[in-house]
Amino acid sequence: MAAVLFDFSGTLFRVETTESWLRAALAETGHTLPEPELTRTARALEAAGALPGGASPLAVPTDLADLWAVRDQSAELHRAAYTGLSRRVPLPDPGLYDALYDRHMSPAAWTPYPDAARVLRTLRERGVGVAVVSNIGWDLRPVFRAHGLDPYVDAYVLSYEHGVQKPDPRLFSVACEALGTDPRQALMVGDSRPADGGATALGCRVHFVDHLPVTHRPDALLPVLDLVD
């Protein structure tokens, strides 16, 4: 393998819990909720799938279905889709819906998996190109910089910057071109079989990991090093 393409959320990084997300947004806007209400609200937001990178919606509302299907194709669509879900849950101030969305883009909302740095650093030492290929509606580069992983990434291919989202093979093609790599010599690593599996259309190999809390997944990325060899 000459290159490895990594997904972002659930692969290299994990977003904070829905309760932590809500607490942070409340604190940042000067709001408070009684503990029982905060817990209930966090559960309702999680069921709604309102946290990008968190749990999927239990059910996408009919009026948001079309938007949800293309949410990663632009920053505007992404914000509209997720704030549309969060607005299903009553909050004490209408401004909190945008505050919640803004919070999830903060580097503090994300934690790298324990083995991410080791794997990325080793790939760099071996001269293997690395790209991050993500369905997303915002610039994740500051997250990598804040956590010290940016030096190990050669290219970022983000759906909202190209107007196309995985599993469309065009997104993987852009990544391989950016690395100067034949797709047949590239490995795609991700947590979503429907989305990341799209790389096989170009001849890429694919390796899947489970989207788990960081404390429950200490070393799932390490097999990537053997696969590259």
Side-chain angles (χ1 to χ4, degrees):
M1 297 288 105
V4 182
L5 318 180
F6 286 96
D7 176 50
F8 167 56
S9 175
T11 300
L12 291 174
F13 282 82
R14 170 81 179 208
V15 75
E16 64 188 332
T17 66
T18 308
E19 183 173 320
S20 172
W21 175 56
L22 176 58
R23 286 184 185 277
L26 289 169
E28 289 165 5
T29 56
H31 291 85
T32 60
L33 286 175
E35 280 299 312
E37 184 178 351
L38 189 150
T39 300
R40 288 194 300 270
T41 301
R43 288 174 179 167
L45 287 167
E46 183 162 347
L51 172 57
S56 298
L58 293 181
V60 177
T62 302
D63 61 314
L64 289 178
D66 291 342
L67 175 61
W68 182 254
V70 296
R71 64 191 181 280
D72 295 313
Q73 294 184 13
S74 78
E76 294 76 17
L77 292 171
H78 195 267
R79 180 181 285 269
Y82 281 101
T83 56
L85 291 175
S86 66
R87 290 179 191 280
R88 266 49 185 188
V89 180
L91 293 176
D93 183 339
L96 278 168
Y97 298 107
D98 280 317
L100 282 169
Y101 185 85
D102 292 341
R103 164 66 188 183
H104 103 274
M105 295 187 288
S106 166
W110 296 88
T111 302
Y113 281 95
D115 53 349
R118 175 183 171 184
V119 169
L120 292 176
R121 182 174 60 251
T122 302
L123 291 173
R124 171 53 57 90
E125 292 170 351
R126 295 181 183 178
V128 177
V130 169
V132 173
V133 185
S134 177
N135 279 353
I136 201 166
W138 51 278
D139 186 4
L140 52 71
R141 295 172 182 87
V143 176
F144 279 76
R145 288 196 292 267
H147 291 278
L149 300 186
D150 180 66
Y152 308 125
V153 179
D154 300 294
Y156 294 91
V157 180
L158 312 181
S159 61
Y160 84 101
E161 293 181 337
H162 298 275
V164 61
Q165 62 191 49
K166 298 181 290 186
D168 194 312
R170 287 178 291 175
L171 208 61
F172 306 106
S173 180
V174 169
C176 290
E177 289 175 8
L179 298 176
T181 301
D182 185 321
R184 292 169 295 182
Q185 296 298 315
L187 173 69
M188 176 67 209
V189 182
D191 68 301
S192 171
R193 282 167 173 75
D196 300 312
T200 60
L202 297 178
C204 297
R205 292 182 64 185
V206 181
H207 175 69
F208 296 107
V209 294
D210 293 325
H211 190 153
L212 297 171
V214 292
T215 54
H216 297 171
R217 214 196 75 190
D219 55 9
L221 292 171
L222 294 182
V224 169
L225 301 177
D226 292 330
L227 291 170
V228 170
D229 287 341

